[in-house]
Amino acid sequence: MSELVVDDLVAGYGDARVLHGVRFTVKQGEVCAILGPNGAGKTTLLRALSGMVRTRGTVTLGGTELSGRSPDTIARLGVAHVPEGRGTFMPLTVEDNLRLGAFVRRGRAEVDSDLDRIYTYFPVLKTRLKQAAGSLSGGEQQMLAIGRALMLRPRLLLLDEPSLGLAPLVTRELFRIVQAINAEEQTTVVVVEQNAHLALGIAQQAHVLETGRIVLSGTAEEIRADEQVAQSYLGYRV
């Protein structure tokens, strides 16, 4: 059963159209990788899914229409967006950032319980609770951004370039944690990522976006084996 259905999605900024009739579906509990060159429209796609740009076409999550709704309404419907650059609130503490992720929820006991759940995925955050988010390393800030998104208890997690600016070892650990979150909580994930090797390593399906259009779709194994993708994004020939 499809959790996310995107049909004929058009989006842009002012008069400039960026997405041109994008269509794809993601099953509940799947990881979907969005690949493509810079300027292809990958970030705009995630912004369109979370209501940050004007769109035409339809987007549904579990049968509920998201199109035309405000970002806060879409968040309440279970969509958590971790933007490129992380978007943490630098002057606030780690704990305050995490609690902000639960802004649509009620019940302090449940929120406190979920903080403990986040610490199982990101134990380093528990040792940094009272530190300002701006004092964290880049990898720790990305962990904090994902942890904050998980405090929403999302049905759909959108990740925009999670490896950006991180050391390879930190990036591999981050993707391992995302894979664990997906497996243990059955959270549907759409990840935009320049590091195609890592993205395809945790994804079940993938789509290649170029100039605002999906030009190639398939399972992660099919996309990895495709000669065009291998040469353009993976750095080798099939």
Side-chain angles (χ1 to χ4, degrees):
M1 181 176 178
S2 295
E3 173 77 335
L4 176 68
V5 179
V6 179
D7 187 28
D8 199 23
L9 183 65
V10 175
Y13 307 92
D15 295 330
R17 184 179 294 183
V18 177
L19 301 180
H20 307 272
V22 171
R23 291 184 174 90
F24 67 96
T25 62
V26 185
K27 293 179 181 178
Q28 197 276 328
E30 277 193 334
V31 177
C32 172
I34 305 294
L35 309 177
N38 289 334
K42 304 186 300 297
T43 290
T44 299
L45 173 59
L46 296 194
R47 289 175 176 171
L49 298 181
S50 60
M52 296 174 65
V53 295
R54 288 188 177 183
T55 63
R56 294 206 315 269
T58 59
V59 178
T60 60
L61 181 66
T64 299
E65 181 75 39
L66 301 185
S67 311
R69 297 179 184 264
S70 64
D72 65 300
T73 299
I74 291 175
R76 293 175 191 277
L77 291 171
V79 179
H81 184 176
V82 180
E84 182 180 348
R86 299 153 198 150
T88 50
F89 298 94
M90 297 299 189
L92 300 183
T93 66
V94 167
E95 182 176 6
D96 286 342
N97 267 273
L98 290 171
R99 289 188 181 277
L100 279 173
F103 77 102
V104 302
R105 300 176 53 200
R106 297 291 181 268
R108 185 179 178 88
E110 287 187 0
V111 171
D112 287 345
S113 176
D114 278 353
L115 282 174
D116 290 334
R117 169 175 138 264
I118 299 306
Y119 302 147
T120 64
Y121 291 122
F122 305 111
V124 68
L125 296 182
K126 191 171 185 178
T127 69
R128 306 279 197 271
L129 278 185
K130 301 307 178 183
Q131 284 186 223
S135 69
L136 302 182
S137 69
E140 291 166 349
Q141 287 184 30
Q142 188 63 272
M143 292 176 186
L144 176 58
I146 295 174
R148 187 185 61 199
L150 292 176
M151 289 294 292
L152 182 69
R153 282 196 170 269
R155 295 178 60 169
L156 174 64
L157 178 63
L158 307 175
L159 300 175
D160 194 355
E161 301 284 6
S163 73
L164 187 66
L166 303 184
L169 186 63
V170 175
T171 299
R172 287 194 294 272
E173 175 63 9
L174 197 64
F175 271 75
R176 184 195 67 76
I177 293 169
V178 170
Q179 188 173 32
I181 291 166
N182 168 254
E184 295 170 14
E185 305 196 17
Q186 287 297 292
T187 303
T188 304
V189 179
V190 176
V191 55
V192 162
E193 179 53 59
Q194 287 287 343
N195 189 326
H197 276 293
L198 282 175
L200 292 172
I202 68 168
Q204 286 78 47
Q205 62 159 299
H207 306 282
V208 177
L209 198 64
E210 286 188 358
T211 60
R213 295 176 173 85
I214 289 180
V215 296
L216 193 63
S217 297
T219 66
E221 290 78 11
E222 290 169 343
I223 298 297
R224 187 185 290 111
D226 187 277
E227 185 171 359
Q228 174 189 348
V229 176
Q231 291 187 54
S232 298
Y233 307 112
L234 303 181
Y236 62 83
R237 297 179 66 89
V238 174

